[in-house]
Amino acid sequence: MKLFSIRGGVHPDDHKKPASERAIKTATIPARLHLPLRQHIGQPAIPVVTKGEHVLKGQLIGKSGGVVSAPVHAPTSGVIADIGEFIAPHPSGLAGLTITLEPDGEEKWCELPPPLDPESAGPQALAARVRDAGIVGMGGAAFPSSIKLALGADHQLHTLVVNGAECEPYLTADDRLMREHAGEILDGVSTIMRAAHIKKAIIAIEDNKPEAIKAMRAAIPDGAAIEVASVPARYPMGSEKHLIEVVTGIETPARNLPADIGVLMHNVATIFAIHEAVRHGRPLISRIVTVNGGAIASPGNLQVLLGTQISDLIASSGGFASRPGIILLGGPMMGVPLHD
């Protein structure tokens, strides 16, 4: 497909390997999970559990605190050990209201809502399922995804842009997700197109991810109005407005949203989470995290329960092979240095 040029950008060494070449593994369940009630843009969630209460995997433990908010669910079964202030993964290093869960190791699920058929369920039902599942933008913005899905009601949306660029050096979580779960992502794409009344989708992937490009193209259903764009590997290609301009040629005016020009964007991890919620009733309780860098003994990508501490992630990756110069939450371009 035709691509359009944008000004600027840089070409840092991508440092994707060896993490990009290792299959996703499930991280060990830690002794404690610390779940901030502000895991998203907007109002923090409100606790609906009490200290000492036993909860099941997937159970609601924090309800939405407003229109722009998202509920929080138990990532595994266990006992609520505490509800109070705990250091948040934020540049300030300040504490925030957090639910601390002690897993019981049983991984016993609560009763989940029944699957929805995207072909027969209406847009409102699909958006409600995404809202109740606590899904937020997983590309970095953490904006509640159900609000985006509702934009089709009062905007003339014509294109869904799927952000699989992953332009930050070292990070390969989206790359591995596309390689290993292309079919599920494409199912989520179709669900979003139906919910937001969109006729066309473009999956944008940087050209340094050939295996992901191949996997996504192979998974596109026959006759679907979905195409894969191989975009140049250049930071900040994953930036929403930059990527939209590259694949559509349309510039988002200052102080406007992509929806104002008929475009909706979702990250591939967000879309996978939407598939899980719609097809299986599963809330957002985990995500894939890249643990990479020269100081890590075993770099790779882990399926991680929300609330897992960085120390547990490092332990699940074999610990440190050498003393790290810095530990970053995120990539080296926009990541947050961690002091604890």
Side-chain angles (χ1 to χ4, degrees):
M1 62 173 290
K2 180 181 179 181
L3 298 178
F4 300 86
S5 62
I6 55 172
R7 292 190 302 166
V10 294
H11 298 83
D13 292 338
D14 61 32
H15 295 285
K16 301 289 188 181
K17 295 180 179 179
S20 64
E21 305 313 303
R22 296 176 178 173
I24 299 166
K25 295 182 178 181
T26 301
T28 303
I29 298 176
R32 281 197 164 196
L33 296 169
H34 300 281
L35 296 145
L37 290 167
R38 186 189 292 276
Q39 294 195 41
H40 48 267
I41 287 175
Q43 293 297 312
I46 301 169
V48 295
V49 290
T50 57
K51 185 176 179 179
E53 182 177 345
H54 186 270
V55 297
L56 300 176
K57 185 172 183 174
Q59 181 179 327
L60 181 72
I61 59 174
K63 67 180 181 179
S64 296
V67 176
V68 182
S69 185
V72 177
H73 301 79
T76 187
S77 57
V79 176
I80 303 299
D82 194 17
I83 302 174
E85 298 291 303
F86 192 81
I87 295 173
H90 186 270
S92 68
L94 298 175
L97 186 60
T98 299
I99 295 176
T100 298
L101 173 64
E102 289 186 352
D104 59 15
E106 295 183 5
E107 286 276 86
K108 186 176 180 181
W109 280 90
C110 68
E111 183 177 354
L112 296 176
L116 292 177
D117 180 1
E119 296 299 319
S120 58
Q124 289 184 338
L126 294 171
R129 173 61 59 87
V130 171
R131 180 187 66 243
D132 294 343
I135 297 172
V136 301
M138 296 170 72
F143 189 81
S145 300
S146 60
I147 297 175
K148 276 191 174 184
L149 291 185
L151 291 174
D154 51 10
H155 290 77
Q156 293 295 317
L157 302 176
H158 54 76
T159 304
L160 169 66
V161 176
V162 178
N163 191 343
E166 198 168 43
C167 60
E168 280 268 7
Y170 291 97
L171 304 189
T172 61
D174 289 348
D175 182 5
R176 289 306 317 185
L177 180 64
M178 289 185 285
R179 294 197 210 185
E180 299 182 34
H181 296 283
E184 292 94 328
I185 293 169
L186 264 297
D187 181 72
V189 169
S190 298
T191 297
I192 294 169
M193 292 173 71
R194 178 175 177 80
H197 310 290
I198 296 173
K199 300 298 184 184
K200 175 185 178 182
I202 301 170
I203 302 168
I205 307 171
E206 281 195 334
D207 58 17
N208 61 354
K209 304 173 186 62
E211 294 299 324
I213 292 171
K214 180 180 177 181
M216 294 300 292
R217 282 179 173 158
I220 295 175
D222 292 339
I226 303 170
E227 56 186 325
V228 174
S230 176
V231 300
R234 178 172 24 142
Y235 182 87
M237 189 58 69
S239 167
E240 182 177 60
K241 294 180 179 179
H242 290 89
L243 189 56
I244 287 172
E245 187 171 356
V246 167
V247 298
T248 69
I250 306 172
E251 182 178 355
T252 306
R255 293 177 295 280
N256 282 59
L257 299 172
D260 297 324
I261 59 170
V263 179
L264 188 67
M265 176 178 282
H266 279 289
N267 172 264
V268 291
T270 310
I271 294 173
F272 179 77
I274 289 172
H275 158 83
E276 290 284 286
V278 171
R279 292 291 190 181
H280 305 290
R282 297 171 189 151
L284 180 60
I285 57 173
S286 69
R287 69 156 298 145
I288 299 168
V289 175
T290 303
V291 184
N292 204 359
I296 291 291
S298 182
N301 289 282
L302 300 173
Q303 185 76 43
V304 180
L305 296 181
L306 300 187
T308 299
Q309 293 190 101
I310 300 300
S311 55
D312 292 315
L313 279 183
I314 293 168
S316 291
S317 302
F320 289 125
S322 59
R323 183 175 180 179
I326 191 171
I327 301 174
L328 291 171
L329 181 65
M333 306 300 281
M334 292 183 65
V336 178
L338 295 177
H339 305 292
D340 187 311

